[in-house]
Amino acid sequence: MNEAGEDTDRWTRWGAASGAQPLPESASELLAQLLELTPAPPAVPLPDVAMPAAEPGGAVLAALREAVGTEHVLTSRPVRARHATGLSTPDLLRRRRGRLHHAPQAVVRPADHAEVLALLDLCSQHRVAVVPFGGGTSVVGGLTPTAPAHITIDLSRLNEVLAVDAVSRTATLQAGLPAPRAAELLAEHGLTLGHVPQSYEYATIGGFAATRSCGQASTGYGRFDDLVTALTVATPRGTIRVGRAPASAAGPDLRQLFLGSEGTLGVITDVTVRVRPIPAQTHYEGWRFDSFPAGLHAVRRLAQEGPQATVLRLSDEVETLVGASGQGQSDGGCLLVVGYEGEQVNATAEMAAAVLAAQDGQPLGAEPGRQWQRHRFDAPYLRDALLDAGAFAETVETAAYWSRLPEVHERVRAAILDALPEGTLVLAHVSHVYETGASLYFTVICSPGSDPIDRWRTAKAAASDAIARAGGTITHHHGVGTDHRDWYAAEIGELAVDLLRTVKRQLDPAGILNPGILVP
């Protein structure tokens, strides 16, 4: 650990080395057959990373120190570098190469809402751009503002459960509270949030709200924005608190203005969320379908007619094949993982089994479900292993109505394959299911070539264009950031973009909040 408690072991990886996942031998053999692998060079050590100029001017630095205390204004190179990007594959490649085009001039750690307000006020006065930082897990450029000179507000000191209302089943959580710690503190009250995205190990409550996160059990618990009943936001013009009842007809729901705003309208400092008793029972199992369309039809039947599962995760033929080969087996078809949590999971599972069997599903028993539970956080670590092996791996996600979902799947997959070299693998699954539609999550593995970042930029643009043409949304849960900004603007239209710009001007007259993110 360095002076700020930064884990330099994670500098060029998704997670700490202790969580590293080696590639299965069968997967390594498959990649060697399909791809032209380029052995990864040693990563540049964190202290040697090239970065832009350091700390802000003396007057600004003195004001920052006065606002939060000298020990909480950090300007060392390792701390600045660690807060310079998110954790997309291009971000990790830039880190490994030791080339950062942007980095904060200082990382500032306020203790509470009042100190966040003070920071925003002084940054507005001095026209210093501000990037809010939680767990740093953005994979869409959400932590890379267009203003090269900026400071980062690290919310890690806002890490408490402020209140638990067991009668109403709500809890008020500070924005910098890490998800695992939130789970521990709520468990002391016999409660759970039920929000477990793949970023769970490192993400924070405020990040969930700012990006409208969606957890792996969203089919049962809902998206994070469904869980938020109230929130507090610090803006350059003061404090906004919205949400004071379970539901209201008092004008437009302003919670939705800040949920998904990605730090561009204010800094979320706490949220009040719905919580539930820790489930008495859990049960996960696997089913096989002959084809992806057949599996989609079965999942839609469950989503629309019930019974409701907690987790529904359907892999297409390629993802099923690759996953099975990693375990030394392959039965073809498509794998569906179904999970149930609650009081009467056996009865629910039996009713769902009748629906799935009627759709020609073949039961595989509990082991595929247990396998998924054991390895639900492995994918980003496997990406680290792929990068180490000289491959390139990245993801694309979207959502669409059921009627459009097959076309979105086909078009996006075709666009990616057309844009990348022969041998590229495109895996896909449905992991968040609604009555009217579902998400699609693509994993792409390809040869890196001489410039993997530029190669991926071209492929990602092709995939994004295909999503738009097929009627999907540009992002279901990763957020907008800089990567999706232009497609988001096209999706909502010029008038809606102007509306967001107007709101931003009212809340952030100096334009300091995460400039260039979300709104062009």
Side-chain angles (χ1 to χ4, degrees):
M1 294 287 183
N2 62 27
E3 66 182 13
E6 290 292 331
D7 185 356
T8 56
D9 187 40
R10 284 189 59 205
W11 163 242
T12 59
R13 317 183 74 80
W14 169 261
S18 59
Q21 297 288 327
L23 287 178
E25 184 177 347
S26 56
S28 297
E29 293 173 355
L30 177 63
L31 291 176
Q33 294 173 9
L34 294 175
L35 308 181
E36 294 182 10
L37 301 178
T38 304
V44 174
L46 182 51
D48 298 336
V49 171
M51 291 190 300
E55 60 190 42
V60 174
L61 189 60
L64 294 173
R65 288 170 172 166
E66 182 178 354
V68 302
T70 299
E71 69 273 26
H72 297 298
V73 179
L74 311 172
T75 58
S76 71
R77 289 171 58 84
V79 176
R80 293 173 55 229
R82 174 68 182 84
H83 288 77
T85 72
L87 293 174
S88 70
T89 300
D91 287 335
L92 292 181
L93 290 176
R94 292 185 185 100
R95 291 184 177 200
R96 289 178 177 223
R97 295 173 179 179
R99 303 172 189 169
L100 297 179
H101 302 301
H102 295 270
Q105 294 176 305
V107 175
V108 186
R109 301 189 302 177
D112 53 28
H113 176 82
E115 288 193 357
V116 175
L117 278 179
L119 288 172
L120 295 183
D121 180 57
L122 74 88
C123 287
S124 291
Q125 293 178 36
H126 291 278
R127 295 297 196 270
V128 175
V130 169
V131 177
F133 190 98
T137 59
S138 172
V139 293
V140 292
L143 300 174
T144 311
T146 55
H150 67 278
I151 70 162
T152 290
I153 295 182
D154 184 323
L155 297 166
S156 57
R157 296 175 69 203
L158 280 72
N159 58 8
E160 298 181 2
V161 174
L162 297 179
V164 174
D165 182 345
V167 175
S168 304
R169 289 188 180 175
T170 65
T172 302
L173 316 177
Q174 287 189 302
L177 185 63
R181 180 58 177 158
E184 292 174 4
L185 294 174
L186 290 174
E188 294 175 2
H189 300 270
L191 299 169
T192 181
L193 186 58
H195 187 76
V196 187
Q198 197 162 74
S199 61
Y200 172 81
E201 296 167 294
Y202 302 107
T204 60
I205 296 298
F208 291 157
T211 60
R212 296 176 71 188
S213 172
C214 197
Q216 294 171 336
S218 64
T219 301
Y221 288 93
R223 296 168 54 92
F224 195 78
D225 47 350
D226 297 328
L227 303 178
V228 175
T229 65
L231 47 80
T232 305
V233 185
T235 81
R237 294 191 59 192
T239 298
I240 292 179
R241 291 186 174 89
V242 290
R244 58 183 301 166
S248 174
D253 187 351
L254 294 180
R255 291 174 302 179
Q256 298 301 325
L257 182 62
F258 296 101
L259 292 168
S261 60
E262 301 187 23
T264 62
L265 303 180
V267 178
I268 296 169
T269 57
D270 66 60
V271 297
T272 301
V273 291
R274 294 189 293 113
V275 291
R276 301 180 187 182
I278 295 173
Q281 303 173 40
T282 62
H283 174 71
Y284 285 77
E285 62 187 26
W287 288 75
R288 180 191 176 279
F289 289 87
D290 288 339
S291 67
F292 194 54
L296 282 178
H297 183 73
V299 170
R300 179 172 65 84
R301 287 290 301 273
L302 278 185
Q304 293 179 336
E305 300 175 18
Q308 183 174 340
T310 304
V311 171
L312 284 171
R313 188 180 184 93
L314 175 69
S315 296
D316 70 1
E317 291 89 346
V318 179
E319 183 168 284
T320 300
L321 177 63
V322 171
S325 66
Q327 300 170 28
Q329 60 183 9
S330 177
D331 298 321
C334 294
L335 173 66
L336 171 66
V337 171
V338 191
Y340 309 93
E341 298 183 2
E343 293 290 336
Q344 299 178 340
V345 297
N346 291 333
T348 304
E350 288 179 8
M351 289 188 290
V355 174
L356 296 175
Q359 303 303 312
D360 297 324
Q362 303 160 36
L364 301 177
E367 184 54 28
R370 295 194 191 103
Q371 282 273 2
W372 178 79
Q373 281 186 291
R374 284 194 293 268
H375 300 288
R376 64 193 303 181
F377 302 127
D378 284 3
Y381 295 95
L382 290 172
R383 177 184 60 168
D384 290 339
L386 287 166
L387 295 179
D388 291 342
F392 181 95
E394 189 55 296
T395 60
V396 175
E397 48 84 34
T398 181
Y401 294 115
W402 288 115
S403 57
R404 295 179 176 176
L405 209 62
E407 181 181 358
V408 174
H409 176 252
E410 292 172 7
R411 283 200 180 194
V412 174
R413 187 171 186 277
I416 294 171
L417 289 173
D418 286 346
L420 292 173
E422 186 176 351
T424 294
L425 290 169
V426 180
L427 296 62
H429 66 255
V430 164
S431 52
H432 307 283
V433 175
Y434 309 92
E435 186 174 355
T436 54
S439 70
L440 276 170
Y441 192 95
F442 298 86
T443 300
V444 183
I445 305 171
C446 67
S447 304
S450 59
D451 189 344
I453 294 176
D454 185 66
R455 172 174 277 183
W456 177 247
R457 186 182 295 115
T458 299
K460 180 67 180 289
S464 299
D465 288 342
I467 288 170
R469 286 193 298 269
T473 180
I474 191 58
T475 176
H476 172 262
H477 58 272
H478 280 170
V480 176
T482 54
D483 291 7
H484 297 148
R485 183 186 58 206
D486 294 344
W487 286 273
Y488 171 62
E491 183 174 315
I492 65 175
E494 183 177 349
L495 184 58
V497 170
D498 285 344
L499 175 61
L500 287 176
R501 287 175 177 152
T502 300
V503 173
K504 182 171 176 60
R505 282 195 297 269
Q506 288 297 314
L507 297 175
D508 178 22
I512 64 165
L513 289 169
N514 225 4
I517 306 298
L518 187 69
V519 179

